[in-house]
Amino acid sequence: MPSNTLTITDNRTGKSYEVPVENETIRAQDLRQIKVNPQDFGLMTYDPAFMNTASCKSTITYIDGDAGILRYRGYPIDQLAEKATYLEVAYLVLYGELPNKAQLADWTYNVTHHTFLHESTKHLMEAFRYDAHPMSMFISVVAALSSFYPEAKQVKDPDVRQKQIYRLIAKVPTIAAFSYRHTRGLPYVYPDNDLSYPGNFLNMLDKMTQAKYEPDPVKEHALDVLFILHADHEQNCGTNAMRAIGSSMVDPYSAMAGAAAALYGPLHGGANEEVLKMLTEIGHVKNVPAFIDRVKKKEKLLMGFGHRVYKNYDPRAKIIKKTADEVFKVTGVNPMLEIALELERIALQDDYFVSHKLYPNVDFYSGIIYQAMGFPVEFFPVLFAIPRTSGWLAQWVELVNDPDQKIARPRQIYLGADQRDFVPMDQRK
Ligand code: ACO
């Protein structure tokens, strides 16, 4: 018997089955042959929240959650954060290799020359109330882009796909900045092609009366590092949404609006916003022990702690902490930092957190930096969505080209009523 197989004995029938093991995985479809009788549907797996199901084969991002490792296309995240720019990393994530000089120049040119939004987008923005959440605006405008670029429906055409990739990577900072300016009642600022990707983003957020906006180099660099850290994170909730929606072969704008909506949730990319709300609620270092007690009694979640995959320190949190120090030198220390450090100190030595393997994740510190840089709390998930666009698109291209993939359509275990006859209104209880 070959050693790379699994033998399963069905104790209901006494029959044995041999299924292949490939990449430490068995195919769920191989279980369907296991039946009690020929009419039987066959065995399925039950895996709510995909705790132990690989939904795809991917070559983009590698995570070893126990060892705290994160790599894009094989490159460790700390090396990329230290040595590359976000645009280089986006290219790497999307195309598999770091760009050479000519490739980077071409990529940068194309991204820089797709940053403008159709003027009608501004009218769409105007329709939102002054206090609309910027993430709602971001999601809506990304979805609306599909109406501006109907050719994007041709998802099987690599040239069409490429065009939408330039557009989406280029336009997300503009959409984000317009949503920010809208909530502040400020006029929109058009992109400046002389500036870097994060520099232009700061320009569209902050420019007032200056003839030429010059981004603060520390903030520009910090934003670039944060963008690198958020570029991709394999099959998380938002990316899974991108793939699930994309599997219907809808255009990438519609799929990405769904992915961004998933990211908005407080258990996902909305967590950085929740961290700041939590720190504000705690209010003072002296209140930290009482808050930790409430978390242990399960009355509260310690936002920014815990991760489905990392059961060790999130490697991105380490890099963010270093970036925070650089930012605070320019902006002054965020008063919330003291509370965050105390929370981290107590949690990391507390038996509850140690035994549950709960460590700070990327969101624990990102919000503190964003706040020090002057971003409002509601804007944090949008700052996450901008760089994640490269990951979503890379995963979408991989999906569209993967012959193993079909429309995503899980099974269910039906536990509802058996067939019964319709009850007329006057006989209902
Ligand atoms: N605070 C307190 N307890 C926690 C926390 C937390 N932040 N996270 C997990 N736990 C506990 C759970 O109560 C559970 O305890 P139990 O076994 O005694 O019942 C145990 O740890 C396992 O937790 P699960 O919820 O089963 O873990 P899961 O992998 O499903 O959840 C998640 C991961 C959603 C990230 C969770 O840790 C959480 O809610 N964290 C807070 C929100 C957050 O920071 N999200 C950002 C994640 S990073 C990102 O998306 C970019």
Side-chain angles (χ1 to χ4, degrees), residues 267-268 271 295 298 301-302 304-305 308 352 356 358 361 363:
L267 296 188
H268 192 11
V295 172
K298 299 214 186 274
L301 274 179
L302 181 49
F305 261 66
R308 171 61 58 78
Y352 175 89
H356 283 80
L358 296 170
N361 59 49
D363 289 319

Side-chain angles (χ1 to χ4, degrees), residues 49 51 230 233 236-238 263 265-272 274-275 278 291 294-296 298 300-311 314 316 352-353 355-364 384 388:
M51 299 286 285
H230 288 91
H233 212 232
N236 54 79
C237 180
L263 186 72
L267 296 188
H268 192 11
N272 49 20
E274 297 301 317
V275 170
M278 174 188 77
F291 185 82
R294 293 187 68 193
V295 172
K296 285 158 61 177
K298 299 214 186 274
K300 288 267 174 196
L301 274 179
L302 181 49
M303 300 310 288
F305 261 66
H307 200 276
R308 171 61 58 78
V309 180
Y310 294 120
K311 300 300 172 195
D314 180 338
R316 300 168 299 175
Y352 175 89
F353 296 90
S355 63
H356 283 80
K357 298 191 175 173
L358 296 170
Y359 292 88
N361 59 49
V362 68
D363 289 319
F364 193 64
F384 194 152
R388 184 52 59 85

